[in-house]
Amino acid sequence: MSNNTKALDIRQVPQGRLAMWTLIAGELIIFGGLIAVYLLNRIRYPEWGAEAVHTSTMFGAINTCVLLLSSFTIVLAHNEANKNNIKRAQLYMFLTIVGGLAFLCIKSIEYSREISEGLTFTSPAMVAKGEGVKSLFWSFYYIMTGLHALHVIAGMTTIFIIMMQIGKGKNIHRVELAGMYWHMVDLVWIFLFPLLYIAK
Amino acid sequence: MEHKFHDNGSVVDPDVKTDYHGHPNYFRVLIYLLAMLGISLAVFEFHLPVNIAITIVFVVAFWKIGLVVRNFMHLRYEHILIWVAVFAAVFILLVFFLGVFPDVPMVHREVVPKY
């Protein structure tokens, strides 16, 4: 077998990683499609910029920081798992879950502020004023951030299950796979943050 | 088959590939990511034209995404076909976006029903 042929042998890639990259490519289409439709509407309705003023850049920035730090802790967990330092890997995974919880808490504070101001799905107050197009912004906002929050919960659950499994010496290679999923969640937020919180 | 054992006596999973890829300096990557978050927050303090400020913010966002994918997800060490799979997804998205985009300025706003 020539070197070139060997370099192209996909069988060298662990199956778990291959499956996870396939999942990530699928998620990319889901979130990418949603973001593309949002962008098309944003271009069409410049008044959405005035609606984005109501989102809190400070909360968004804190959440970005939290997710970046949790991405760092999960990659450290993977590093420690590779060295068979199971206790340390579990500690970093626990910190990642704490990061996810902090993210959800901050997001729920944001949601409660926005909902109390009447900024909701198809906001009745806006529709009554003939500003239904503006309420469409909030529909996109809640769908995109809500879908992202569901992925955060899924990621936390996965990390928790794997954290328990590696304590019994099982499925240590899955720490990296859970980490890849968590990084994907982080990536989506990195793009949602300027889109919803900065571009006003 | 010979087994390896953890400190707690459990068997090390034989499927673990400890040397599948390299490990960059994760702490340095984190510092870059936080610095770029700072840039995207500070850019509006310089009173640049809005279009330029937004362009900078999105360039920084893409850069951050690149750093996470390459280093934290280890795509830089990955097989060429994995790159192809990921970029195929991005390409499909671009085709979708550019295919629909011309309709946005062409259709008059009045065509859109009022809520």
Side-chain angles (χ1 to χ4, degrees):
Chain A
M1 184 185 280
S2 71
N3 281 343
N4 283 344
T5 314
K6 191 178 176 188
L8 281 172
D9 190 356
I10 192 72
R11 286 171 297 183
Q12 292 168 355
V13 182
Q15 285 179 354
R17 279 184 70 83
L18 195 59
M20 190 49 75
W21 277 117
T22 310
L23 176 73
I24 289 169
E27 295 280 2
L28 195 65
I29 296 288
I30 293 171
F31 278 104
L34 200 53
I35 288 169
V37 175
Y38 171 84
L39 280 174
L40 291 170
N41 277 284
R42 181 74 193 256
I43 293 163
R44 183 166 184 81
Y45 305 117
E47 57 264 49
W48 279 16
E51 290 308 299
V53 169
H54 297 286
T55 59
S56 167
T57 308
M58 185 189 73
F59 281 134
I62 293 171
N63 261 348
T64 309
C65 219
V66 166
L67 277 190
L68 289 177
L69 285 170
S70 66
S71 262
F72 178 62
T73 52
I74 195 70
V75 87
L76 289 183
H78 161 220
N79 206 16
E80 294 297 338
N82 266 356
K83 294 175 192 166
N84 275 331
N85 294 333
I86 301 302
K87 291 285 174 205
R88 287 192 136 229
Q90 283 181 311
L91 172 68
Y92 285 127
M93 292 173 91
F94 175 73
L95 290 176
T96 307
I97 294 171
V98 170
L101 278 175
F103 177 90
L104 291 175
C105 285
I106 294 168
K107 200 79 210 104
S108 61
I109 293 169
E110 264 190 274
Y111 276 165
S112 62
R113 278 184 63 220
E114 285 146 2
I115 291 167
S116 65
E117 288 175 27
L119 307 167
T120 56
F121 261 102
T122 59
S123 170
M126 285 182 188
V127 174
K129 279 192 274 179
E131 294 175 341
V133 162
K134 287 185 179 178
S135 81
L136 199 56
F137 169 85
W138 292 102
S139 299
F140 269 99
Y141 170 82
Y142 286 112
I143 287 176
M144 290 199 290
T145 56
L147 189 62
H148 177 262
L150 284 178
H151 280 74
V152 171
I153 293 167
M156 284 164 55
T157 310
T158 310
I159 290 170
F160 179 76
I161 292 168
I162 294 171
M163 188 175 83
M164 293 293 116
Q165 287 180 343
I166 66 168
K168 296 172 189 165
K170 288 182 194 168
N171 298 325
I172 296 166
H173 62 293
R174 289 186 185 170
V175 176
E176 179 178 23
L177 307 181
M180 286 171 73
Y181 184 85
W182 193 256
H183 297 313
M184 186 276 296
V185 169
D186 187 17
L187 289 185
V188 172
W189 184 258
I190 286 174
F191 206 77
L192 288 182
F193 174 58
L195 211 59
L196 297 172
Y197 292 85
I198 296 186
K200 298 182 176 180
Chain B
M1 184 179 170
E2 193 177 327
H3 290 293
K4 290 181 181 175
F5 295 91
H6 292 299
D7 294 340
N8 62 8
S10 57
V11 179
V12 172
D13 193 322
D15 291 335
V16 179
K17 300 269 192 285
T18 53
D19 56 353
Y20 175 68
H21 56 67
H23 294 272
N25 185 335
Y26 297 122
F27 186 70
R28 192 165 63 191
V29 176
L30 176 70
I31 296 297
Y32 286 155
L33 288 168
L34 293 176
M36 277 191 255
L37 171 62
I39 291 171
S40 51
L41 289 173
V43 79
F44 284 93
E45 301 298 320
F46 294 107
H47 303 293
L48 297 169
V50 174
N51 286 345
I52 293 176
I54 288 180
T55 305
I56 292 172
V57 165
F58 279 99
V59 167
V60 167
F62 277 112
W63 201 333
K64 277 197 285 189
I65 286 171
L67 273 176
V68 172
V69 173
R70 277 174 55 81
N71 297 291
F72 284 175
M73 297 170 93
H74 305 105
L75 188 63
R76 62 194 281 192
Y77 304 106
E78 202 54 273
H79 192 277
I80 184 75
L81 287 180
I82 300 291
W83 285 77
V84 171
V86 172
F87 282 95
V90 175
F91 178 73
I92 289 166
L93 271 175
L94 269 178
V95 169
F96 165 71
F97 184 80
L98 296 175
V100 178
F101 182 76
D103 285 349
V104 176
M106 278 172 65
V107 180
H108 295 292
R109 281 183 64 120
E110 289 69 28
V111 172
V112 181
K114 289 192 174 176
Y115 292 92

